[in-house]
Each structure stands twice: as C-alpha cells, then as structure tokens.
Amino acid sequence: NAGVMQNPRHLVRRRGQEARLRCSPMKGHSHVYWYRQLPEEGLKFMVYLQKENIIDESGMPKERFSAEFPKEGPSILRIQQVVRGDSAAYFCASSPLEQHTGELFFGEGSRLTVL
Amino acid sequence: DAKTTQPNSMESNEEEPVHLPCNHSTISGTDYIHWYRQLPSQGPEYVIHGLTSNVNNRMASLAIAEDRKSSTLILHRATLRDAAVYYCIRGGRYNQGGKLIFGQGTELSVKP
C-alpha cells in the first residue's frame, strides 16, 4: 500500500506564475489535509477536504489560494500569482477517518521556491 | 493556537531513555493527545496517540496524567535516528473541527 504521494517534490516558479501541487492520498482514505511550513517555522493548517467537499478552509489565505479534492484523481492545492512569501514546504496528509480519532499519514512534501 | 506547551529543545544520549513532556492544561474531555515527529527535510510522522489510558506501540509509550493536563512521550532507547522535532497536539471533533494544530514542538538531539 503506497503512502501519501505528493508531486512535484520541488517546484520553482517566478513571481506572478501559478503553482499546482498534487496529493494522492493513501488508498481508501477519503480525508485530505494540507499544511504549510515556512522556513524555520512550524506546520500551519491550511485546509481540510473530503471527496468533493471543503470541510474547513480556515487556514487558507483569503486570496490566490484554492484547494480541491475531486471525486476522481488527486487533491490539488493551487496558488495563483505566486509571491516570494509563498516559498515553503507544503505537506499533504490523509486519513480514513477524521484525524482526531487516529493516525494521520503525511507525504514527503512539495517544496515551492518563488524567484 | 496550539494550546500545548513543550520545551523548545532537549538533549539525549544514544541508547538512553528520553522523556518528552507536554502540558495541555485546558484539554477538554473529548480531546485526544497526539504525538508526531518530523525528521529533517521530511514530512511529519505519526508516533502515538491516546485519550485517557497510557498507550504503548513499537515506537514509543505515552503516559497521560490522571487529570489529563499533561502527558509524556517516552522513547525507551534513543537512537540517532530519533533526532527530530516532536510535536504534542491536542485534537478532537469539538475542538477546532477535528483538525490538528501543530505548535513549535521540542527539538530532540541525540548524542552518540
């Protein structure tokens, strides 16, 4: 059973471009969470999704950021018109249940660098 | 707001036990206590979680105080591979909607 797969592992974008980060949860997992980790900082919750639904997006910046988890395919975190402050590691996690009741499985992250 | 308090850093010697403390004095009755760790340049890794009783698994033990206001993660024999940031997190359905809020964690260094 493959773990949580994130791609790309590394992404370089120039200011103003778009970044798309993909996350394939573990097989059988219908709950996906995105976290961001700025350099030398802790993990910050961004968004919690179930298939075709956004459950909690309280950690998402109000502009330029969006997330989806379609019925088929991976979850996508999309950042439009990137700025240097978006440079960070973005981690996706999945669970078969709401995470407070059990283990959360994280991917290795996608590291975005904005030039 | 992580609502847990951990020391910023701790040191341990290889093959010795490590006790990582965590205070969560405002924990509610439905909150679980979770521990994750993050090795350098890697994603977080689940360690253990519990509600009221002490828990053991292949990685560690979790000792939860009777009043649940604090807990201790116990690594029985530290190895160099255990050097990581350890996060103590409280989470529950009725607290923050079930998502886990990470604090700053404890950076554990292990000396050979």
Side-chain angles (χ1 to χ4, degrees):
Chain A
N1 189 8
V4 176
M5 304 300 292
Q6 291 189 248
N7 66 81
R9 293 291 308 277
H10 300 274
L11 182 63
V12 179
R13 285 287 179 266
R14 297 189 180 278
R15 282 179 296 170
Q17 292 183 318
E18 178 178 290
R20 283 193 179 218
L21 309 177
R22 288 175 291 278
C23 169
S24 295
M26 288 184 68
K27 187 176 180 181
H29 287 193
S30 58
H31 299 251
V32 165
Y33 308 81
W34 285 92
Y35 287 80
R36 176 166 68 172
Q37 189 168 36
L38 295 168
E40 306 302 323
E41 293 191 16
L43 290 143
K44 302 296 183 187
F45 168 80
M46 298 183 75
V47 63
Y48 161 34
L49 310 105
Q50 293 181 24
K51 286 283 188 181
E52 301 184 279
N53 287 305
I54 297 175
I55 306 302
D56 184 339
E57 56 181 349
S58 58
M60 289 280 271
K62 292 290 186 284
E63 297 177 345
R64 303 187 297 108
F65 285 71
S66 62
E68 63 176 8
F69 188 17
K71 186 177 180 180
E72 301 291 338
S75 175
I76 306 285
L77 180 67
R78 181 184 179 201
I79 312 171
Q80 296 178 287
Q81 300 175 332
V82 296
V83 300
R84 289 214 174 107
D86 297 332
S87 295
Y90 292 83
F91 293 97
C92 169
S94 75
S95 72
L97 304 168
E98 291 179 30
Q99 61 177 284
H100 70 280
T101 58
E103 182 176 350
L104 200 63
F105 297 82
F106 280 84
E108 290 301 316
S110 292
R111 283 156 179 81
L112 172 65
T113 301
V114 180
L115 302 177
Chain B
D1 182 3
K3 298 180 181 176
T4 62
T5 304
Q6 299 178 252
N8 288 332
S9 62
M10 290 184 65
E11 280 190 353
S12 173
N13 294 317
E14 196 176 12
E15 298 189 4
E16 290 185 356
V18 182
H19 290 233
L20 297 163
C22 180
N23 286 318
H24 29 78
S25 58
T26 60
I27 195 167
S28 75
T30 57
D31 283 351
Y32 283 75
I33 300 154
H34 307 256
W35 284 83
Y36 284 77
R37 72 180 186 181
Q38 188 175 21
L39 278 66
S41 300
Q42 294 190 25
E45 176 186 30
Y46 168 84
V47 178
I48 202 166
H49 79 287
L51 186 60
T52 55
S53 304
N54 293 345
V55 185
N56 299 294
N57 66 20
R58 64 175 179 81
M59 288 182 68
S61 295
L62 175 60
I64 302 173
E66 195 169 336
D67 62 6
R68 301 211 326 126
K69 293 185 177 182
S70 64
S71 61
T72 302
L73 179 71
I74 303 166
L75 307 179
H76 296 286
R77 288 184 67 208
T79 69
L80 297 178
R81 193 195 173 278
D82 291 323
V85 178
Y86 286 78
Y87 297 98
C88 168
I89 306 161
R90 46 172 281 200
R93 183 191 301 273
Y94 305 109
N95 175 24
Q96 300 155 344
K99 59 184 177 284
L100 297 183
I101 304 298
F102 286 75
Q104 292 304 308
T106 296
E107 184 169 9
L108 176 67
S109 57
V110 180
K111 296 184 288 185

